[in-house]
């Protein structure tokens, strides 16, 4: 669009202003392409850079032709070879973006798999801990209740035998109940 604006500008100062806008846009795009990108497909990126150089060269030709007052020639360049270059660059950028999006989806899927594994492992550990706690609580309850039940049986036997308190009750445990 800026190229058309340049061609349509009638004053030199307007053309210079548009050229400055185009140069700023080109510098921005050059800066983006020169950044250290984390793309694995260097070949696709190199293709985009080469096509961009071709498009930038066409821009220079179009602007120079427009500066010389040859608007119809500039329009023909825009609608001909320049358009083909921009279309090829656009297709290359689309392919590069599609490849990077797929890599992003693949990384996301791998993260989801890892998340599921960690979640399952966590559930297993929590379930195992609960089971271990139940087993330990059961063992503690049994270790306390058996000697008490044995003591209760012995006391019932004593009561049924006339309450003879001279008999001893032997309970083997290493706590307050046993001897």
């Amino acid at each position: 669009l800026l190229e058309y604006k340049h061609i349509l500008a009638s004053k030199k100062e307007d053309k210079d202003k548009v050229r400055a806008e185009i140069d700023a846009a080109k510098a921005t795009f050059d800066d983006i392409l020169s950044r250290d990108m984390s793309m694995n497909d260097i070949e696709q990126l190199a293709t985009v850079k080469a096509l961009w150089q071709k498009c930038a060269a066409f821009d220079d030709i179009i602007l120079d032709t427009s500066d010389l007052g040859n608007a119809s020639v500039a329009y023909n360049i825009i609608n001909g070879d320049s358009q083909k270059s921009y279309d090829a660059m656009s297709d290359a950028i689309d392919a590069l973006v599609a490849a990077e999006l797929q890599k992003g989806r693949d990384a996301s899927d791998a993260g989801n798999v890892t998340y599921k594994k960690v979640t399952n492992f966590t559930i297993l550990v929590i379930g195992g801990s609960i089971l271990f706690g139940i087993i330990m609580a059961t063992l503690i309850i049994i270790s306390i209740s058996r000697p008490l039940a044995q003591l209760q049986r012995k006391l019932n036997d004593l009561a049924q035998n006339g309450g003879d308190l001279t008999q001893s009750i032997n309970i083997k445990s290493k706590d307050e109940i046993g001897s």
Side-chain angles (χ1 to χ4, degrees):
L1 293 175
L2 289 174
E3 290 85 354
Y4 286 112
K5 190 175 176 182
H6 186 273
I7 293 169
L8 294 174
S10 57
K11 297 178 185 175
K12 181 174 178 2
E13 58 197 31
D14 292 340
K15 287 185 180 280
D16 290 343
K17 185 177 176 184
V18 174
R19 186 182 282 268
E21 289 179 55
I22 292 172
D23 288 342
K26 287 162 108 177
T28 300
F29 199 72
D30 283 336
D31 180 52
I32 290 169
L33 289 177
S34 67
R35 291 182 188 161
D36 183 26
M37 297 186 189
S38 62
M39 296 180 195
N40 294 331
D41 199 339
I42 295 172
E43 187 175 309
Q44 277 185 317
L45 186 58
T47 300
V48 169
K49 287 180 179 181
L51 289 170
W52 167 244
Q53 294 303 319
K54 191 174 181 182
C55 290
F58 274 119
D59 271 351
D60 291 337
I61 293 169
I62 292 166
L63 297 179
D64 292 343
T65 305
S66 173
D67 283 340
L68 294 173
N70 294 327
S72 62
V73 175
Y75 281 126
N76 288 337
I77 295 171
I78 287 175
N79 294 325
D81 292 337
S82 177
Q83 184 65 45
K84 291 176 188 172
S85 291
Y86 275 103
D87 290 345
M89 184 182 68
S90 179
D91 291 344
I93 289 172
D94 289 345
L96 187 61
V97 168
E100 291 304 308
L101 285 174
Q102 186 58 47
K103 289 175 192 172
R105 284 187 208 104
D106 293 345
S108 178
D109 291 345
N112 288 340
V113 168
T114 301
Y115 173 78
K116 286 179 183 178
K117 286 180 182 179
V118 168
T119 301
N120 290 340
F121 179 74
T122 302
I123 290 170
L124 182 67
V125 168
I126 290 171
S129 297
I130 290 171
L131 183 62
F132 179 75
I134 290 171
I135 291 171
M136 292 306 293
T138 303
L139 291 175
I140 290 171
I141 290 170
I142 289 172
S143 71
I144 292 172
S145 63
R146 276 192 182 159
L148 286 177
Q150 189 179 7
L151 178 62
Q152 184 180 12
R153 280 194 304 275
K154 298 276 185 174
L155 288 175
N156 284 339
D157 287 346
L158 274 175
Q160 288 176 358
N161 292 335
D164 183 10
L165 298 178
T166 59
Q167 294 181 5
S168 66
I169 300 174
N170 293 324
I171 298 176
K172 295 181 182 177
S173 70
K174 297 179 182 180
D175 56 16
E176 294 82 9
I177 298 171
S179 52

